[in-house]
Amino acid sequence: MLKRNQNMAKLQSGYLFPEINRRKREFLQKNPNAKLISLGIGDTTEPITRHIAKALYDAAKGLGTERGYMGYGDEQGMAALREKIASVMYGGKVAAEEVFVSDGAKPDIGRLQLLFGNDAVVAVQDPAYPVYIDSTVMYGKTGKYNNAAKQFENIVYMPCTPENNFFPDLKKMPRADVIFFCSPNNPTGAVATREQLQQLVNYARKNKSIIIFDAAYSQYISDKNIPKSIYEIEGAEETAIEINSFSKSIGFTGVRLGWSVVPNELKFDDGSLVRNDWNRISTTLFNGASSIAQCGGLAALDGEGLQEMKKLVLFYMENARIIKAALQDIGYEAYGGDNAPYIWAKAKGNGSWDAFEYLLERANIVTTPGVGFGQCGEGFLRFSAFGHRKNIKEAVKRLKKL
Amino acid sequence: MLKRNQNMAKLQSGYLFPEINRRKREFLQKNPNAKLISLGIGDTTEPITRHIAKALYDAAKGLGTERGYMGYGDEQGMAALREKIASVMYGGKVAAEEVFVSDGAKPDIGRLQLLFGNDAVVAVQDPAYPVYIDSTVMYGKTGKYNNAAKQFENIVYMPCTPENNFFPDLKKMPRADVIFFCSPNNPTGAVATREQLQQLVNYARKNKSIIIFDAAYSQYISDKNIPKSIYEIEGAEETAIEINSFSKSIGFTGVRLGWSVVPNELKFDDGSLVRNDWNRISTTLFNGASSIAQCGGLAALDGEGLQEMKKLVLFYMENARIIKAALQDIGYEAYGGDNAPYIWAKAKGNGSWDAFEYLLERANIVTTPGVGFGQCGEGFLRFSAFGHRKNIKEAVKRLKKL
């Protein structure tokens, strides 16, 4: 038969979360009465708020009427939504035509890989959201997996650890063409300061690199001095693409809605606009986010929607505070959780998977093993702040009993 | 700055429909009072039917409640929907785990390209849905565009014209690794018979090729002898992937819902399952179709939904009948329209774009120039049967006046 795409064969085991689910299922088979609490996957748990939910069901209802029916929309998103994202989320620093509405950051990352030739060198934070690396491998931009180093060849890993305050040492970093950078960070919960982001932008300008700035958790930034967008940094429009999402800010993980920004100032070496190629990719390989979801996104960005968004984020951030305090109480080194819905905690003594199994068996709590996000995550666990309050309280009670 | 993906530079002008829209806008600027009727893009126009719309509405409303809230689902789709597609659409010939729910056929085509290495040779019908070729070019599976031939190097074009009854001469066809095949066909409206599909499957088995069978219009097949799925053909499970969509059958063009089938019998040369790689691609680069849309899909496949689907399809097929009869009345050679919502008509005398301009200016009717689908489409126009009945009748009146 036909030859397999050899890049697929380079990938390591499954994607992290299927593996966690497998272990969870195995545990439940042995312990059918265990009441698991998940602080694992970063999935929102609270109902969609009133005003935004109403926009969704009004749109759905409208589809059943001649007046409210919507067929294909522009692949790049409804004009009104693109304008609203530009004005509300970027205060007009970005033009509507630079905004591309999508079905989320993950699929956008997959498509963004097509912007760059397969000889492009990609840099990622270590630890990082696995999709950056896996998509890079699938497209053939890496060498083989090095079993000793447990890293792929031809990827630049940027260690982000407590030792460097979770910001890479750019002076020591080898040149990369494309830099995935996530702040507030998944999984560490760290945020980059204005000065750090300026360093990053300066590095990219000097090295003619493109930053793909993943701001999916930007709404969780409570510190007023921390930039919510890379475009708050001088020169970023010449060097950065931003991706973002409605998933975590308004609970749209299942509804599917996100966006990317590709500024007109961002150009390839031949002077052509990156935005033009992104437009071609978006219109050719994507058919727009669901019209219902887009109507929800519109509602989220009006006065009432923004208030609901804020309230929902505060709810999850209170969860984060509770979890972080409990972890510190029982002697874990805990990071993040102040401007991000994740707490990054150093497991005592053992490696990540041992710590994962320990909490699963002893407290029936599901976490995410830090090593699943990269070698620099070894020894850590990620705790997600998404959960019903009563579950968070119960989890904390169990943690304190350990 | 960073180097452009050189494959993007190979692409020719814009995607077809943006170009049509540009010409339409230009015409309307000169003729602001013209009442255009679009028989161009294949976009559904009728409201979503009662039962299915209610399912969308109920799902959206449920998201605002603790009980009805849904976060991330499986990337491959809700288990219930996968099972229902397997049983209802394939009569159990396909297993639920072989079905992958998606946000539509177009994005699926983009992701499917990753299954095959970039040295794979791709074959397409000529004329064909432009996304097959454009996605192949973007991924780097082709050579340059040959300006004289107006074709890409390293693509196998399979002419489908009235002369060969719109089915390629497989005996003359050079070997290809991947064969995109669409039946009922967009744009020609032709359907392949059981015997023809058996020839195609035999060809693929002999040549170790994989067929990507695009069945997005399968619900429009009225002739009981014509297969609605490639899996009705002996041996197809060893050689074919099928993609399909809820867009045209229940008016979900804006809601976004489709699926692919990758049988467990389909293997690469190393014996590994194509399905496993597809699963990895789907879980890594996609995050599931909107949960609201999936609830609509579930409703579409129960008794009431299927009846509504049938009625909606019959409505559009009556449009097709009206348009085809009118075109034949005024002396166009017209094909398709019997088992597909497209009529493929030979424009008198001139090339496709001239014929397009002629109908735009003289009858204020927007069509799709056949040449936009490939060189074998030159001289043809595609008429879409999607439209309100009153517009179809008005279009026909105008055609008869020409």
Side-chain angles (χ1 to χ4, degrees):
Chain A
M1 276 308 295
L2 188 55
K3 237 174 40 185
R4 188 178 180 198
N5 174 355
Q6 291 306 305
N7 298 311
M8 292 299 299
K10 292 179 196 161
L11 288 169
Q12 293 307 296
S13 69
Y15 181 65
L16 177 58
F17 295 105
E19 173 61 20
I20 292 172
N21 283 331
R22 198 189 58 75
R23 292 189 183 222
K24 211 168 86 179
R25 271 196 307 272
E26 209 174 275
F27 176 79
L28 281 173
Q29 265 163 13
K30 284 186 211 152
N31 308 276
N33 296 320
K35 285 199 175 116
L36 290 187
I37 295 178
S38 174
L39 303 178
I41 190 166
D43 191 7
T44 47
T45 55
E46 303 310 296
I48 291 178
T49 50
R50 205 195 52 82
H51 175 69
I52 300 170
K54 184 172 184 305
L56 291 175
Y57 63 71
D58 282 350
K61 193 165 193 177
L63 289 175
T65 67
E66 198 154 329
R67 249 190 89 186
Y69 183 72
M70 297 173 274
Y72 288 125
D74 290 335
E75 291 94 343
Q76 307 95 329
M78 292 178 183
L81 182 55
R82 299 174 81 187
E83 275 161 29
K84 210 139 189 180
I85 290 171
S87 63
V88 175
M89 302 307 270
Y90 298 96
K93 272 202 178 92
V94 149
E97 65 166 9
E98 297 169 320
V99 175
F100 294 77
V101 177
S102 77
D103 61 333
K106 197 182 182 194
D108 264 342
I109 292 166
R111 287 182 288 262
L112 279 167
Q113 291 281 1
L114 270 175
L115 271 181
F116 315 109
N118 289 347
D119 51 351
V121 175
V122 171
V124 296
Q125 288 158 291
D126 182 3
Y129 179 47
V131 174
Y132 308 143
I133 290 181
D134 285 356
S135 60
T136 303
V137 174
M138 285 178 178
Y139 276 84
K141 293 182 170 73
T142 71
K144 287 187 184 155
Y145 188 71
N146 180 325
N147 275 309
K150 294 185 179 173
Q151 295 188 330
F152 284 95
E153 291 166 6
N154 207 35
I155 279 196
V156 174
Y157 291 85
M158 307 182 286
C160 292
T161 61
E163 287 71 38
N164 63 13
N165 247 320
F166 300 101
F167 189 79
D169 187 345
L170 298 173
K171 284 187 194 110
K172 287 189 195 157
M173 185 183 152
R175 194 189 164 279
D177 295 304
V178 179
I179 304 167
F180 282 100
F181 198 91
C182 178
S183 177
N185 191 264
N186 173 15
T188 67
V191 282
T193 64
R194 185 172 301 276
E195 294 67 34
Q196 288 172 331
L197 291 177
Q198 187 69 62
Q199 282 174 39
L200 182 69
V201 166
N202 292 348
Y203 171 93
R205 289 171 84 181
K206 203 181 96 190
N207 287 282
K208 308 188 179 210
S209 316
I210 285 184
I211 300 164
I212 298 181
F213 190 75
D214 186 344
Y217 297 93
S218 62
Q219 293 306 308
Y220 285 82
I221 296 175
S222 57
D223 184 334
K224 285 194 167 39
N225 295 315
I226 303 286
K228 287 190 176 181
S229 161
I230 193 72
Y231 302 117
E232 294 182 35
I233 306 301
E234 202 202 314
E237 68 283 358
E238 290 170 25
T239 196
I241 290 169
E242 183 161 300
I243 52 180
N244 208 320
S245 166
F246 285 98
S247 288
K248 312 299 168 101
S249 59
I250 58 171
F252 266 28
T253 48
V255 174
R256 311 302 315 141
L257 193 66
W259 73 86
S260 59
V261 176
V262 181
N264 284 321
E265 289 85 354
L266 190 63
K267 289 173 187 160
F268 288 115
D269 63 344
D270 63 358
S272 68
L273 268 56
V274 176
R275 187 197 163 278
N276 287 354
D277 280 2
W278 185 231
N279 190 60
R280 187 67 153 89
I281 292 168
S282 301
T283 53
T284 306
L285 303 184
F286 181 57
N287 232 335
S290 179
S291 54
I292 302 171
Q294 292 192 64
C295 289
L298 264 174
L301 298 181
D302 66 21
E304 225 172 320
L306 287 168
Q307 276 189 341
E308 290 184 354
M309 186 191 292
K310 203 170 171 182
K311 217 173 131 187
L312 184 69
V313 164
L314 284 175
F315 172 84
Y316 290 126
M317 286 309 287
E318 174 62 9
N319 285 351
R321 196 195 57 74
I322 294 170
I323 296 167
K324 188 174 185 180
L327 288 171
Q328 287 175 328
D329 256 14
I330 61 167
Y332 278 65
E333 253 179 66
Y335 303 93
D338 303 323
N339 293 290
Y342 296 117
I343 298 101
W344 187 241
K346 180 100 183 157
K348 288 185 223 169
N350 296 313
S352 292
W353 280 109
D354 284 343
F356 168 88
E357 295 282 354
Y358 174 79
L359 287 183
L360 180 61
E361 288 190 15
R362 298 286 292 273
N364 299 348
I365 293 174
V366 179
T367 56
T368 310
V371 70
F373 299 100
Q375 286 312 299
C376 291
E378 180 57 292
F380 288 88
L381 288 175
R382 188 191 75 173
F383 290 79
S384 157
F386 297 108
H388 298 316
R389 182 64 47 79
K390 65 175 194 299
N391 290 342
I392 302 295
K393 285 189 172 163
E394 170 64 20
V396 159
K397 207 190 285 174
R398 293 185 196 170
L399 285 174
K400 290 189 176 170
K401 265 196 208 151
L402 284 177
Chain B
M1 277 308 295
L2 188 56
K3 236 174 42 187
R4 189 179 180 198
N5 175 355
Q6 291 306 305
N7 299 310
M8 291 299 301
K10 291 179 196 161
L11 288 168
Q12 295 306 297
S13 69
Y15 180 65
L16 177 61
F17 295 105
E19 173 61 20
I20 293 172
N21 282 331
R22 198 188 60 73
R23 292 189 183 220
K24 210 168 86 178
R25 272 197 306 272
E26 208 174 276
F27 176 80
L28 281 173
Q29 265 163 12
K30 282 185 210 151
N31 308 276
N33 296 321
K35 285 200 176 112
L36 290 188
I37 295 177
S38 175
L39 303 178
I41 190 166
D43 191 7
T44 47
T45 56
E46 303 309 296
I48 292 177
T49 49
R50 205 196 51 81
H51 176 68
I52 300 170
K54 184 172 182 303
L56 293 174
Y57 171 84
D58 286 347
K61 195 157 194 182
L63 289 176
T65 67
E66 197 154 328
R67 250 190 87 186
Y69 182 70
M70 297 173 274
Y72 288 124
D74 290 335
E75 291 95 342
Q76 307 94 330
M78 293 177 183
L81 182 55
R82 300 174 80 187
E83 274 161 30
K84 209 136 189 180
I85 290 171
S87 63
V88 176
M89 302 308 270
Y90 297 96
K93 272 202 178 88
V94 149
E97 64 165 11
E98 298 170 319
V99 175
F100 294 77
V101 177
S102 77
D103 60 332
K106 196 183 183 194
D108 264 343
I109 293 166
R111 286 182 290 262
L112 279 167
Q113 291 281 0
L114 270 174
L115 272 181
F116 316 108
N118 289 347
D119 50 351
V121 174
V122 171
V124 295
Q125 288 159 291
D126 182 1
Y129 179 47
V131 174
Y132 307 143
I133 291 181
D134 286 355
S135 61
T136 304
V137 174
M138 284 178 179
Y139 276 83
K141 293 183 172 70
T142 71
K144 286 189 185 153
Y145 188 71
N146 180 325
N147 275 308
K150 295 186 179 170
Q151 293 188 331
F152 284 95
E153 290 166 8
N154 206 37
I155 280 196
V156 173
Y157 293 84
M158 307 182 286
C160 293
T161 60
E163 288 71 37
N164 62 11
N165 247 321
F166 300 101
F167 189 79
D169 188 345
L170 297 174
K171 284 188 196 110
K172 286 190 195 158
M173 188 182 150
R175 194 191 164 276
D177 296 303
V178 179
I179 304 167
F180 282 100
F181 197 92
C182 178
S183 176
N185 191 264
N186 173 16
T188 67
V191 282
T193 64
R194 188 173 300 275
E195 293 68 33
Q196 288 172 331
L197 291 177
Q198 188 69 62
Q199 283 174 38
L200 182 69
V201 165
N202 292 349
Y203 171 93
R205 290 171 84 181
K206 204 180 95 189
N207 287 281
K208 308 188 179 213
S209 316
I210 285 184
I211 300 164
I212 298 181
F213 190 75
D214 186 344
Y217 298 94
S218 61
Q219 293 306 308
Y220 285 82
I221 296 174
S222 57
D223 185 335
K224 285 193 169 39
N225 295 316
I226 302 287
K228 287 191 176 182
S229 161
I230 192 73
Y231 302 117
E232 295 181 35
I233 306 302
E234 201 203 313
E237 68 283 358
E238 291 169 26
T239 197
I241 290 169
E242 182 161 303
I243 52 179
N244 209 319
S245 165
F246 286 98
S247 287
K248 312 299 167 99
S249 59
I250 59 170
F252 266 28
T253 49
V255 173
R256 311 303 314 140
L257 193 67
W259 73 87
S260 59
V261 176
V262 181
N264 284 321
E265 289 84 354
L266 189 63
K267 289 173 188 161
F268 288 115
D269 62 346
D270 64 358
S272 67
L273 268 56
V274 176
R275 186 196 164 278
N276 287 354
D277 280 3
W278 185 230
N279 190 60
R280 189 67 153 89
I281 292 168
S282 300
T283 53
T284 306
L285 304 183
F286 181 57
N287 233 334
S290 179
S291 54
I292 303 171
Q294 292 192 65
C295 290
L298 265 174
L301 297 181
D302 66 21
E304 225 173 319
L306 287 168
Q307 276 190 340
E308 290 184 354
M309 188 192 289
K310 204 170 169 181
K311 216 174 132 187
L312 185 69
V313 164
L314 284 176
F315 172 85
Y316 290 128
M317 287 309 287
E318 173 63 10
N319 284 352
R321 195 196 58 74
I322 295 170
I323 296 168
K324 188 173 184 180
L327 288 171
Q328 287 174 328
D329 254 15
I330 61 168
Y332 278 64
E333 251 178 68
Y335 303 92
D338 302 322
N339 293 291
Y342 297 117
I343 298 101
W344 187 242
K346 180 100 183 160
K348 289 187 225 172
N350 297 312
S352 291
W353 279 109
D354 284 344
F356 169 88
E357 294 281 355
Y358 174 79
L359 286 184
L360 180 62
E361 287 189 15
R362 298 285 292 274
N364 299 347
I365 292 174
V366 179
T367 56
T368 308
V371 70
F373 298 100
Q375 286 313 298
C376 291
E378 180 58 293
F380 287 87
L381 288 175
R382 187 191 75 173
F383 291 79
S384 156
F386 297 107
H388 298 317
R389 183 64 47 79
K390 65 175 195 296
N391 290 341
I392 302 294
K393 285 190 171 163
E394 170 64 22
V396 159
K397 206 189 286 175
R398 292 185 196 169
L399 284 174
K400 290 190 175 169
K401 264 196 206 152
L402 284 177

